[in-house]
Amino acid sequence: MGLGVLMAGCAVAQQAEAPSAETALLEKGFEPAWVAGLGERGEPRWYSGEELAFIGQPVGGLYAGQVYLGGDGRLWYWDIFNQAVIEPGSAGDKFYNEPMPPEDYRSVSSGFVLDLGDRAVMMDGRGFADVRFRGEYPISRVQMRDDAVPVSVELEAFSPFSPTQSDDSSIPATILSYTLTNTTTEPVTLRVGGWLENAADRAARRAGVLVHRAVPVEGAVGVMMSGGHLDGADARMPEIAADSGSMAFALLGAAGELLDAGALPEGWRVALDEAGDAVPADSAVLATRTMTLAANESVEVRFAVCWYFPNGHLGSLFPGEITRRSEQRNYYAKFYADAGEVAADLAQRHDALVATTRLWRDTWYDSTLPVWFLDRTFQNASTLATTAAFRMHDSGNDALDGRVYFWEGTYLGPGSCTHVTHYEQAFGRLFPDAARAQRAVTDFGVGWNDELGYVQYRAEWNVGQHFGIPHATDGHAGTILRTYREHTTSIDDAFLRSVWPRVKRATQFMIDQDAGRGFFAQHVPEHARNQEPDGILEGPQYHTLDKYWNGVIPWTSGMYLASLRATAEMARDMGDDAFADQCERIAEMGKVNLSERTFHEAFGYFVQHPEQGGEALINTNIGCHIDQMLGDYWTHQAGLEQVFPREQARTALAAIFEHNLYRRADDYREDALIKVHRFYADGDEPGTFICPFPHGGARDAVPSDGTNWDGLVAGYFSECMTGFTYQAAAHMIDEGLVLEGLALCRAIHDRYAEAPLRRNPFNEIEYGNHYTRAMSSYGAYIAASGFEYHGPREHIGFAPKLNADNFRCAFTAAEGWGTYQQGRVFTKLECRVEVKHGVLWVKTFAAELSGDYAGTTATRVSVNGQPAHGFTQDGDRVMVDLGESAELYAGETLVVEIYSDL
């Protein structure tokens, strides 16, 4: 598919701009094939040979610790024992430059064996000559073939995963499903075996306090392992430790037997010796019964690796400042008593759980969007299955139960930092119930300052206070915006009612800063005190670049205005029209004022005006800041009215594309006055910089007498961080700059997916591994599909930005998910919403006329073959009223047909 085909379904205005974007990319040094391929469907990316070296994709449950599947088909990086297994280190770019080698992090022995009777073969890269890896989160796929082995093997490794089903997606287990196929013309007799070392209570067992203990798994061929009491009168109960718990290893849905780790079959011992491996004596060893496969026949064999280590509060997983720390457990402790119960649960339900996980994977990839784009925008959802994210079960306080808590990156930056995590869109869209818990229990619970009425930017981790309060302007506004998103991804207003009083106070807190009154009277400049709010924040504003700036800042004031838009919508839903009117009035005033005061006509983007006099602070002044319109990234994602004038926004986005994106990072860094201290793009790699200074101003951005910390954080301006880039890319796509937005995303994809010899393709790093801000990648997907949703209003809509005349994608709602498809047949646009899982309520539906039909008038609309109750049109957007709510369950489809004049 060429560039012309890519843009065929976009708005007419975008068609006119496409050649200039293509030309600009070529002038930047991107190859013609690279540019032409941005919108092509493309082929799945498989890794093989040396490319497998650093691969590690998370395959555990959400908030259940972290386990990787490696490129060779082996499990590694066992971070399930509540003790950090890495030193995150230094400035945070450590593992970007020096990726983790799997052999250094294989702390638990495990493996699988193909037993062919006369010999055995390790069922991984050590036993097969041809091994390929494909990451399709939540499923990791490994294909193994060898001319000398009569059976091919395909492994799918994953933990059960289904959007909107948080509990079923949070099981502390990995399912390893092997499909074996006889590739010969003769029958083949075989069985499959494997082992799992007992790593439970390891510290106590090594100290001689406990011994290895194994018991059967109920309802399955399997073993649960833990530390058992010593025999004799002097047996001592050890102190409960972080690694106290259990592990289980089980066959799912298959007959088999337990083997003695000390008396393995001869073929196994030979294969293990050749691989340089051994089965520890305290391992559970399982094998299927012998099977015979006819020529070309296949069989699927499933194993489950399960764990249960609930004492996160005793290790380094939970920061020390956690409220009621001693009462907190890992969330899975709410549902299971030990790993044996986990395995027993999977033994009963694995067929349904596996089918749903595969259905989601297939639904996600059953799309007309480019495969690379689908890979990139969803991969970061795996952060929820790493130790950058955890959820707590409070054993004694229901009000605190189910808290979701984020490190910024794995073991770096505690406190569910609002100014980092508010960028994310994957968590809130995929698991809305858990996101509501984070808002209610973390932000407006333990992180709430009731005296002044604000959300602390690191919840209860009260360090790093700036001008007297631990408050981040951008994160505070972002929390209000996420609260609105969580309201829209509910089925009713119960969640909003539960948090509304504090949401209103949080918004009032920002209005008070705007007006320079109350707490802020002592912090804002004298001219900004005790005035009527004008939509512009002044005074010191702390934010995600780890300093506070002052003056008029389009970024932070834009976030404030976006939060006002969100609060106005929430106030309407709560019947508080007076407050809604106030928020809307300030937002409208701010839109005009912010445009007039910060848009630089000559430069074509929004600039900061630092406060004159007083303390010299870091600032962007006339730099081209990637987050200058972050507020409108959010208004697009949440379906709100914009806060920046659209034509100015499009111009500014084009400027970011022009000035911030480089084909070679060194082409910018070599001449940059502000030097980088952390490297998230090698010199020859493409990247989008945080704030170049194309018109000067870099010398004024950093105080000449600044501290070492000032030098570090000013260096952020010359970094390429993925989480920031995704929001700019999503905004570009939303505004019709589709090729530009795709290019920003593809540059990140190239640094990871296309650089397996340099680093792990499945770990986006920004101040640490699996950085939570990178979950903003899902925002680019929302933008590409033009998805809009409001559960309580029973509204759903789509406005695809790529190939809109023949488009298909996955969607998620409050309690269900499925596929959306639209196609053009002459003057008819047919739109199909098919539910694949759960339930969807629809009362209104929105679509957008595009391509040759953009700008035409809709003349007739039908719903499931019957005339619509009514419809309205605003420009190219058509809003359809179904009259009554349609309740759609799995397998049911809503069909809307829109006919247009031409």
Side-chain angles (χ1 to χ4, degrees), residues 183 214 228 245 251 503 565 668 690 732 736 781:
T183 58
L251 266 168
V503 174
R565 297 284 196 205
Y668 174 77
I690 301 299
M732 289 176 185
Y781 177 81

Side-chain angles (χ1 to χ4, degrees), residues 709-732:
W709 179 253
D710 288 339
L712 173 67
V713 300
Y716 296 171
F717 292 164
S718 296
E719 291 180 358
C720 301
M721 292 188 275
T722 71
F724 295 96
T725 302
Y726 287 128
Q727 74 79 16
H731 194 182
M732 289 176 185

Side-chain angles (χ1 to χ4, degrees), residues 72-96:
D72 63 353
R74 302 170 67 193
L75 297 172
W76 67 286
Y77 193 86
W78 295 84
D79 192 1
I80 59 175
F81 306 104
N82 306 307
Q83 297 282 13
V85 299
I86 61 170
E87 284 290 339
S90 63
D93 60 356
K94 174 179 179 180
F95 295 116
Y96 188 86

Side-chain angles (χ1 to χ4, degrees), residues 526-850:
E526 186 173 354
H527 71 82
R529 296 173 187 169
N530 297 312
Q531 61 174 1
E532 288 299 312
D534 62 1
I536 304 290
L537 298 178
E538 295 188 62
Q541 297 157 58
Y542 182 73
H543 50 66
T544 197
L545 296 183
D546 291 326
K547 290 290 287 187
Y548 66 85
W549 301 353
N550 63 16
V552 179
I553 308 168
W555 163 27
T556 50
S557 284
M559 284 293 294
Y560 163 52
L561 297 181
S563 71
L564 288 173
R565 297 284 196 205
T567 301
E569 292 293 320
M570 290 185 279
R572 295 272 184 232
D573 287 347
M574 292 294 96
D576 193 344
D577 289 341
F579 195 58
D581 290 343
Q582 180 186 6
C583 291
E584 288 175 352
R585 183 173 62 253
I586 299 171
E588 284 300 309
M589 190 185 314
K591 182 174 184 177
V592 174
N593 291 338
L594 198 58
S595 169
E596 292 179 348
R597 296 181 65 178
T598 66
F599 187 74
H600 198 296
E601 293 286 349
F603 300 163
Y605 56 82
F606 297 88
V607 300
Q608 177 189 354
H609 295 289
E611 185 69 32
Q612 299 300 311
E615 181 183 0
L617 301 172
I618 294 174
N619 62 89
T620 53
N621 55 79
I622 59 173
C624 188
H625 182 206
I626 196 170
D627 272 353
Q628 61 188 266
M629 294 173 294
L630 185 62
D632 269 348
Y633 157 72
W634 257 112
T635 59
H636 281 292
Q637 292 291 312
L640 298 165
E641 186 177 343
Q642 293 177 239
V643 298
F644 292 93
R646 187 174 187 207
E647 287 309 310
Q648 289 182 348
R650 285 173 56 85
T651 301
L653 289 168
I656 292 172
F657 172 71
E658 177 186 357
H659 299 305
N660 299 50
L661 174 65
Y662 277 76
R663 166 60 189 86
R664 295 181 71 260
D666 271 356
D667 287 348
Y668 174 77
R669 289 196 297 236
E670 287 173 354
D671 297 324
L673 293 178
I674 297 176
K675 298 303 180 184
V676 66
H677 295 264
R678 309 183 303 186
F679 292 84
Y680 302 114
D682 290 345
D684 61 344
E685 292 179 323
T688 307
F689 289 89
I690 301 299
C691 187
F693 292 84
H695 304 287
R699 296 189 186 280
D700 299 322
V702 188
S704 58
D705 59 347
T707 64
N708 290 337
W709 179 253
D710 288 339
L712 173 67
V713 300
Y716 296 171
F717 292 164
S718 296
E719 291 180 358
C720 301
M721 292 188 275
T722 71
F724 295 96
T725 302
Y726 287 128
Q727 74 79 16
H731 194 182
M732 289 176 185
I733 294 169
D734 269 316
E735 288 291 4
L737 304 179
V738 179
L739 192 67
E740 294 90 331
L742 290 176
L744 265 62
C745 293
R746 181 70 202 208
I748 297 171
H749 190 72
D750 284 0
R751 298 205 303 273
Y752 287 95
E754 299 303 327
L757 300 181
R758 301 186 184 193
R759 60 192 63 92
N760 183 359
F762 305 102
N763 171 20
E764 287 191 21
I765 299 169
E766 175 188 325
Y767 184 47
N769 292 341
H770 297 286
Y771 203 72
T772 53
R773 184 175 4 232
M775 287 191 284
S776 60
S777 61
Y778 197 78
Y781 177 81
I782 294 292
S785 61
F787 178 65
E788 55 188 66
Y789 179 72
H790 197 300
R793 298 175 189 172
E794 299 183 353
H795 171 76
I796 193 169
F798 299 84
K801 301 301 189 295
L802 283 81
N803 307 318
D805 286 348
N806 180 24
F807 179 82
R808 186 171 59 256
C809 74
F811 70 88
T812 64
E815 294 191 353
W817 46 266
T819 293
Y820 173 72
Q821 184 168 351
Q822 72 176 46
R824 171 70 64 184
V825 181
F826 299 112
T827 61
K828 180 182 74 173
L829 180 67
E830 182 178 276
C831 308
R832 304 177 64 89
V833 179
E834 180 184 358
V835 176
K836 296 291 187 72
H837 189 272
V839 60
L840 172 69
W841 290 270
V842 182
K843 192 171 184 179
T844 60
F845 171 82
E848 186 172 287
L849 304 178
S850 61

